Amino acid sequence: MSQSKNYEQEPSSNRLVASMAIAGFISGVIIIAIYLATFNTIKDNKARELRQAVFKVLPNVSYMQKLYFENNTLVIAKSDGMDDDMIFAGYDKQGKFIGYAIQGKGAGFQDTIHLLFGYLPEKQLMTGMAILESRETPGLGDKIFKDMHFVGEFVNHLMKQAIKAVKKGTKSHDYEIDAITGATISSKAVVRLMNAAFNRWSPKLSPLGQEPVFQMSKQTQGSLDSSQIQPESPNIQIGK
Amino acid sequence: MATDASAYEEMLKGLWRENPTFVQVLGMCPMLAVTNSATNALVMGLATLFVLVGSSLLVSSFKRWIPKQVRISLYIIIIATFVTVVDYSLLALVPAIHKELGAFIPLIVANCMILGRQEAFASKHSIKYAVMDAIGMSLGFLIALLALGSVREILGSGSLFNVDLFGANFEPWVIMILPPGGFLTLGLLLLFFNWFTERRKQFLLKVAQADQSVAIVGVKDNG
Amino acid sequence: MDDLLWIFISTLLVNNFVLAYFLGLCPFLGVSGQLETSFRLGLATTFVLVVTALCAWILNTYVLIYAPYLRLISFIVVIASVVQFIEMSIKKLSPSLFKSLGIFLPLITTNCAILGLAIFATNRGYGLLEGLVFALGAGGGFTLAMVLMAGIRQETEIMDVPALIRGTAFNLIIAGILSMAFMGFAGLFSAA
Amino acid sequence: MTFLDVFTAPIIMTSLGLLFGLILAVAYHYLKVDEDPRISQTEELLPGTNCGACGEPGCLPFATKLVSGEVPPSGCTVASEDDIDNISEFLGVDAGEQEKIVARLKCAGGKAQAFQIAEYQGFEGCRAAAVISGGGKGCSWGCLGLGDCEVACTFDVIHMNDNGLPVVDAANCTACSDCVDICPKNLFELRPVAEQLYVQCNIPLEGDTVTALCSAGCDACGKCVADAPAGLISMHNELPVVDYTSGLFNTDKLTKKAIERCPTQAIQWLELNQFNEQADEQERYS
Amino acid sequence: MFNLFSLGQSFAHGVHPPHHKEQTEDLPIQRVPFVNRYVMPLGQHIGIPAEAIVAVGDSVLRGQLIASSNGFISTALHSPVTGKVTDIGMHRYVDGSFKMAIEITADPYATQQFSASANASVKAVEQMSIDEFIIAVQQSGIVGMGGAAFPSHVKYAIPEGQQITDLLINGAECEPYLTNDHRLMVERPEAVLRGCEILRKQLGAKRVAIGVERNKPESITELQKHLAIDMPIDIVPLEVKYPQGAEKMLIKSIYNKELAVGKLPRDLGIAVNNIGTIVALADYFDQGMPLIERIVTLAGPGIKEPANLIVPLGTPIRDVLDFAGGLSEHTREVIMGGPMMGSPVADLDAPILKGTSGILAFTEQETARPQEYPCIRCARCLDACPYFLNPSRLALLGKARLFSQMQSDYHVMDCVECGACTYACPSNIPIVQHIRAAKDNLRNLASPDVEKKK
Amino acid sequence: MKHNDPKLLLQSAPLLRQELTTPGAMKEVWLALLPTTLASLWFFGLSALLLIVVSIAGAVLTEWLFTDKDKRRMAIGDSSAGLTGLLLALTLPPGLPLWMAFLGAVVSIGLGKVIWGGLGANIFNPALLGRAFLLGTFPIAMTTWGSPSGLGDFFHLQSSNLAWPFMHGQIDALSAATPLGLMKFQQQTTAISSLFIGNTAGSLGETSAFLLLLGGMYLLIRRSIDWRIPTAIFLTAAIFSLAMFINDADKYPSPIVTLFSGGLLLGAFFMATDPVTSPLTPKGCWIFGIGVGFLVVLIRLFGGLPEGMLYAVLLMNAATPLIDRYTQPRIFGRK
Ligand SMILES: Cc1cc2nc3c(=O)[nH]c(=O)nc-3n(C[C@H](O)[C@H](O)[C@H](O)COP(=O)(O)O)c2cc1C
Ligand SMILES: Cc1cc2nc3c(=O)[nH]c(=O)nc-3n(C[C@H](O)[C@H](O)[C@H](O)COP(=O)(O)O)c2cc1C
Ligand SMILES: Cc1cc2nc3c(=O)[nH]c(=O)nc-3n(C[C@H](O)[C@H](O)[C@H](O)COP(=O)(O)O)c2cc1C
Ligand SMILES: Cc1cc2nc3c(=O)[nH]c(=O)nc-3n(C[C@H](O)[C@H](O)[C@H](O)CO)c2cc1C
Ligand code: SF4
Ligand code: SF4
Ligand code: SF4
Ligand code: SF4
Ligand code: FES
């Protein structure tokens, strides 16, 4: 009873404001502390994830750098993270350009599918595909990344023409791909996203011989977020 | 001694008698959203435990200085701070699981159970009781999460904590890991819980009656 | 335009906030007993969702680019305070509006649909327009689920559902069945 | 990450806190609306989670309904038992002082006392039977025993006994009048428990006609009127009426005398409950 | 649109129960002999009960006024026999309840000849003003014989500003088994037409319509045969459909007008009367005979000798049954009125009333309680209800005793309890019973004299 | 008192009842389904027989187990549980493992009926609920279709039928695609004559349009079902699909194919019309039918699944309480 009497007294507005401010301050301090403490690890994790994905789709890559399409050319991105308008260029140990890793994003069976595929412009060859994010049905739609046969179809696929997904077993042309039985829609969505991304990017890619050069900037070297990839990383094997 | 026992009581009540899921029906969103595997459930449960215990500790320590008008806002700031801590920690430590839990780690902030405990308990009790209560509640929540997660993972994927249980020929019940499965499983679990409580009540009643008749017979014998 | 339509349909039906994303279950299970109330709660929620989308976009564009780590806490604090402010204003300015919609506001502020919307919209990098459409879809979906649920619950009120079953367990099962029915919308307008 | 970045967070958070603290403070100051203080006090006692688990759209509406008595405090699933006790206590301040009123039945003619002239066949409900030519009970004023009141009582305190009469668990009756409203024979009335002298019959007939219908009916012989303190009981419409306003009512032996010579036990001295759960033989001779 | 396809004029919805009229439709009306004891309840009509003006021990003549009307919606009672008042007190009514009644023991030596002199002399109806006419009708004790027993004079008191243009005579007799109106039309067509003319002239109506269901061709031809050319009377054949005889349905069928809820036929300029009522009017104004007897159909599988009888009011049902050979041993239930709307008789010693159109007896076979199934929401009841109510919902709510919701959401009070829904229900749900219970409860709650709530 | 005559019965009028009873209404549906059931035996042989038996058994057993003792006789006696079992079986693919069919039947009655309070109380069509559960739970098994054989092959049992409980079935080599699947995923049309006769792949009861029409007509003539619901479904589906067909005849099926393929006929005649789960009011029936017709075409043409009848009906079932509430007929004499 006495407690509730206490409550009934109106605290001054100053107290309200002050307590909010103090709480805000303390919480700000705590948050920045945890942020700093985990900052590097998280950055590493993210970079590794991206790296692994790029590795999967572009074999023999040792370095990569993020590019934007600006003013009709590809320029090197400065941003830490990754966004939809980015494309990745892969380089071998010598820093020689190998190919691009292109993102695709769009509606799947259930929700948005986000994927990455490798592309060698000079050979017009698709080198592999990886799903970054999807909420497709477990057991059905998730075969787009679990079914190795399906994933394998995008390795060394010649991109002369838009890809077409056909019912499993009825593949009769080079540009066709066997869809997954029971997940035809997801497979078709994957193909559709790839075609769309390909159409978006292929005219923008630098013409033969003028591939973006790998630049080891000061920033990239210094920070752990560098787009540089440690060649010793065991994950390299994935691409094969 | 006595206070220890009652603090212990406070903890125990969260496990069954005032179980946040089965009795209070709070925090349903994370409960259903992340229980498609036992591992996710476990991580979510532990994260919630951390946030609840931490914020209860803070709230009960500072309860004197919190003005009534902004108390909810302050609780939210406190809780959100802890959640941010958990969020970043998980992201750093177990990125794969963090990815699966998705938005539901930040959403711990909105779990009514946590705010509820601050209002209903931590703001009115001493630190010790508040913490014990928080532990009990979050353990109760964890138990429910695990129960739900296990059932859904066992049926839905044929495994538990990612350990395959039935071999390759098992036909998984896909729906269990889909949204309807969450609702249905929790509904049926709750049903079972109700049934069990009811049965227990009736059983206790019967025992009590039996006792009584024994007592009466005893009196008669004596007389 | 097509994209906006897809965002709307997808959140309204395919990825319904309540039935597929498990957001906002507390009010969904608690307050869906009466049709009238449910509908009004749905409207109020839609309103708050739109406010949220707006707040989230402002925060994302003007504040959080400097301090991304404050995302969660600033979302919740800003949204909660803004809604509370709106609530008090309505209460003062229009008691009748408060009675019909305003009383729901505190209930809505602390539910996950609101925060979920802000976080999803940010994660997906929605712009202002997309965010608003997303909020409308989510609110519409929430209202739809709420109203269907309330209709069913009111109907079952006069049926002899076994006493043991009545209550939250039963509501969850109804929600499960609804969610199962909504699976029929999967892939809508995305598989074409 | 620059050195300055480290300060961004506290700065932003502090300013946010300041800003909204200010807004809320101003709001509290200028936008406050007056309402029943009991509502906000009750809301205070609630958990304040605004979770909706009670079925109300938040704690404030729930508190409003609590104060108006539409819902019981236990409707809140989040509050602990202590909280609920506190709320009950807080709300019960006024209620506790009033005298206890319970539902009383103006009939004691169960299966053993009254007979059927015809056989009713159909839906088990008193009102439903009553509209089918009275349900076949010989005494057309008496309880039909089909338990509409049992179904209607929100608080589940009415249970039909073996004799086909409703037993009100008087201790838990809230005098909500559900049973009064539902009974097709208008047999229930709400009476203070203190009014212990009670006539359990509703037949406006006298003499043998009554005894031919029901062995528990009041045949208007007038013995109670004669035996009670003069003026306490009088006959109206062939039924004794106890005048509690006369100031003559007492719990002494003299008043109790009124029931002693009643040939049918139609007038009773009630303790708490009216009938017995099991057999009512006991009750008749106790 | 319905009229295009169906025989005769009609309304929407309704049901087609077998009409079972063959049992009695060809049996001429017979008179039952006088018995010993008569009971005249003071309230056997809608409205305020009459007030006894005789005392125990008084001798009364057949046709003599024994109770006078007690207000406007109330009517007089006359003695059905010459004899002696032996009791004025509570007597059992057909529904098992007790009501104030005058018991008369017949004088075994009286001729029981009705003499108009027993009543105040009646002025020739042609000379009466409308007000005199209304008072005379009230004096006559005539009430609606169509079942509701509503005092007829009330219907003739037309308020200022309204004018009756049409007189509607209800000869539908849609209830199965009953043939009393039919026999009246066949045997006394002149009386029917005479009654119509008296009433039409008094009310100033332009036309008269006599609605008769097509399953009574003999009635139609008899009436037509006696129809004089100058009589503005139409005999309208109606589709055989239940409840064709319900006032609103009849108005819909004949005038294609919809009587709004809460309105009276006179608001449409229509006055509705039953065949029996109209004949009683003719008899009163031509012969001075007040309402002391009526025609009752005795039928049903449990009646040994079905018949159409002229029964003095107040005769115990048992005596009437005895005259018709008694009940067969399989009889389980006796109904007063028709099988669709009638009410079961709780005590055979209860008397025949002004509103008793039939006494039907049913055996074990018809009364075996049918297995009730849950409502499967098949909507047959909705398709049957002529008032377009939602009986399925009403029954569900009734079962849950949610009576007030039945009115607030589903307008239970608009139901006329015709029973069409219950007839149609494949799950054998006693829908009307739930409805009656609800209406009863709602009326009870609304009535001011529910003394309760201390 | 003198009571030498039998104690009279007081029973509410009307004493007359028309002849149809609720079990009778169920029997009508059994009868109407007979041709389709026999055809399923013809087309799918022993597999069909076993599926039907197992499904009915599962349904009846569940009803028996979970119904109160005193209501059991009535509940089983009205044959509605068996009907649910039969209807469920008719929507299953012929190669489905029997244990799945059994589970489906248990879910149908358990979650679809008993939990709501038994016959008449459920909101969702039990058979379709069971099928929705199975489809969500075992999507692959539920979308693997065997080709129809003939009576000659009666004793040929699809090997997947006999899978052990909780285990995969062995998928038959000759799995085929349903006409709708062919249309949706391969843009191939099936001849209307085959749709009509029914020698296409599909669930047990949906293949022969002719026999379904026959059964449906029987129910309509006997007035066992509300004519508005199937009419509204057919009209809406036909108009909607015609609009799309005119728009792009290669991509979208013709209205005839839409009507005669998949579960539309079975659903429109036997499932959407389930009295318990469809609206009471005439206007409501129109809305319900239009809703089903619209949703089924929407899902078929624009959704992820080749067939949408199941979900169309379930979704409209969910809306039925609302529809009923807002389409009360105008009471005679009221505005
Ligand atoms: C519960 C359920 C989940 C499904 N999930 C997916 C999915 O994630 N991806 C997909 O492409 N199709 C999914 N489907 C759609 C069907 O499997 C669809 O019919 C199939 O993709 C086409 O069949 P086909 O590949 O055998 O021709 C799902 C169906 C159901 C019933
Ligand atoms: C207060 C009251 C006044 C009435 N006045 C008239 C009237 O003026 N004219 C009329 O035709 N009927 C009148 N009625 C009678 C009803 O319209 C109706 O005929 C009567 O209730 C019996 O109808 P039923 O036999 O169809 O049930 C009145 C009824 C009541 C209760
Ligand atoms: C369902 C129903 C059926 C009725 N059937 C008849 C009938 O067949 N014949 C008849 O004269 N009155 C019938 N009535 C009574 C009429 O509605 C109306 O009250 C009567 O014809 C008025 O005339 P009265 O006042 O002279 O009785 C029926 C009433 C109802 C509600
Ligand atoms: C015309 C008609 C159609 C029916 N259709 C179905 C149906 O589609 N699914 C089902 O489970 N039961 C059906 N039944 C049976 C019954 O109505 C069903 O079991 C109830 O829904 C259970 O409450 C039908 C019954 C009738 C009379
Ligand atoms: S008291 Fe009234 S309601 Fe209760 S059983 Fe008796 S008659 Fe029925
Ligand atoms: S209905 Fe109300 S008044 Fe009657 S016994 Fe129950 S609690 Fe008491
Ligand atoms: S009894 Fe009432 S509800 Fe039933 S059909 Fe007749 S008017 Fe309609
Ligand atoms: S006729 Fe009977 S079963 Fe059919 S809807 Fe009406 S009440 Fe229900
Ligand atoms: S946990 Fe999501 S709304 Fe409460």
Side-chain angles (χ1 to χ4, degrees), chain E residues 106-306:
Chain E
D107 176 356
Y109 306 109
T111 58
Q112 299 296 12
Q113 200 65 48
F114 169 74
S115 73
S117 62
N119 242 355
S121 69
V122 179
K123 189 172 162 190
V125 67
E126 280 75 16
Q127 269 96 59
M128 283 182 182
S129 72
I130 177 74
D131 291 338
E132 285 170 324
F133 177 75
I134 289 168
I135 291 169
V137 175
Q138 186 171 21
Q139 288 295 315
S140 73
I142 292 177
V143 300
M145 316 272 267
F150 184 78
S152 295
H153 67 278
V154 182
K155 288 194 185 179
Y156 310 147
I158 309 299
E160 222 34 71
Q162 279 187 338
Q163 169 64 42
I164 297 294
T165 53
D166 289 281
L167 178 59
L168 177 53
I169 305 302
N170 188 345
E173 199 157 54
C174 56
E175 278 269 13
Y177 289 103
L178 300 187
T179 56
N180 47 338
D181 287 347
H182 166 65
R183 287 315 301 175
L184 267 183
M185 287 185 275
V186 172
E187 294 181 33
R188 304 189 57 198
E190 334 76 31
V192 172
L193 297 175
R194 167 75 182 138
C196 291
E197 281 301 273
I198 293 175
L199 195 53
R200 182 182 67 80
K201 285 185 183 138
Q202 278 296 341
L203 296 178
K206 295 196 180 65
R207 285 206 79 82
V208 182
I210 306 181
V212 186
E213 275 194 354
R214 276 190 179 264
N215 59 358
K216 293 180 269 293
E218 208 184 336
S219 296
I220 299 175
T221 47
E222 277 306 317
L223 286 175
Q224 246 144 10
K225 216 188 296 171
H226 289 83
L227 201 58
I229 307 196
D230 61 336
M231 291 181 179
I233 297 180
D234 306 310
I235 318 290
V236 187
L238 302 165
E239 191 204 348
V240 184
K241 180 155 88 171
Y242 182 84
Q244 189 65 266
E247 194 168 78
K248 291 186 183 183
M249 298 302 112
L250 200 61
I251 292 174
K252 171 77 183 160
S253 297
I254 292 183
Y255 303 110
N256 197 21
K257 283 183 188 160
E258 195 169 310
L259 189 57
V261 170
K263 293 281 186 207
L264 296 170
R266 67 178 183 213
D267 297 320
L268 293 174
I270 301 170
V272 187
N273 263 136
N274 169 251
I275 291 283
T277 317
I278 220 79
V279 171
L281 278 178
D283 285 353
Y284 180 65
F285 286 106
D286 288 352
Q287 299 160 27
M289 183 161 97
L291 191 62
I292 53 172
E293 57 189 25
R294 68 156 297 147
I295 301 176
V296 179
T297 301
L298 259 71
I303 300 276
K304 287 209 178 118
E305 297 163 22

Side-chain angles (χ1 to χ4, degrees), chain B residues 68-89:
Chain B
K68 168 194 152 201
Q69 280 85 343
V70 289
R71 66 184 193 283
I72 303 275
S73 309
L74 283 178
Y75 298 158
I76 290 179
I77 291 184
I78 293 173
I79 296 168
T81 311
F82 277 102
V83 173
T84 311
V85 170
V86 170
D87 195 17
Y88 279 110
S89 313

